[in-house]
Amino acid sequence: MRDRQPARGERRAREFEAFVAGVAGRLLHAATLLTAEAPDANPRARRLLTLALAHTYARWDGLRGEDPYDCARQYLATRFAHTTWYRHGAFGPARTGPRGPLAGLTPRERLVLVLRIYEGVAEEQTAALLGLPAERVHAICDRATATVLHPARPDPAGRAAAKAAPS
């Protein structure tokens, strides 16, 4: 009976290593988008990834029949939301420092956009995960998408003055 325990532990470790090898890059990219850090300078994203993988490993034996990627992604998202909430309150201000492609968005917009667009999570699932109505998730996603696709460009001084002056 005792011989089974080490074999099961080794099998569990091999399965988890294979899982990490397959998904770590995608989860790190998602975490980097969430934290709005530059891809080459992303300590907060790496910390989020480490916590998500540790949580998934701790639940590994109980995940039979469930997708471990969903577990890791859900933990990544909720951990980001809670950390941002406690650090800044109500999803706080946009992140300063090295800027990633979604740095112009608020943390809530980044979270919804990453879950909906990058991860392909259904609107209803995203709403349930964040505790928001589906219509609110839809509105946030639309606004974030518009902001990313059409960022506000600074007006040259001449155009702003010409528009303000009556003809």
Side-chain angles (χ1 to χ4, degrees), residues 12-90:
R12 177 182 189 215
R14 281 194 312 272
E15 288 175 356
F16 187 73
E17 286 174 13
F19 166 73
V20 170
V23 302
R26 183 172 174 89
L27 283 172
L28 179 60
H29 188 67
T32 302
L33 291 172
L34 286 174
T35 59
E37 295 174 307
D40 55 345
N42 55 1
R44 289 181 61 215
R46 290 179 184 279
R47 174 82 173 139
L48 267 176
L49 174 64
T50 301
L51 292 170
L53 291 176
H55 174 78
T56 305
Y57 184 73
R59 295 194 55 218
W60 192 257
D61 288 337
L63 289 176
R64 298 295 174 213
E66 293 180 47
D67 185 6
Y69 184 79
D70 285 343
C71 175
R73 178 182 58 215
Q74 182 176 352
Y75 187 82
L76 189 81
T78 55
R79 182 68 184 214
F80 171 76
H82 286 115
T83 301
T84 304
W85 178 273
Y86 288 121
R87 185 172 294 154
H88 301 290

Side-chain angles (χ1 to χ4, degrees), residues 26 73 113-123 125-126:
R26 183 172 174 89
R73 178 182 58 215
L113 195 66
V114 168
L115 288 173
R116 291 282 298 122
I117 305 299
Y118 182 71
E119 289 292 325
V121 178
E123 199 168 271
Q125 287 178 302
T126 302

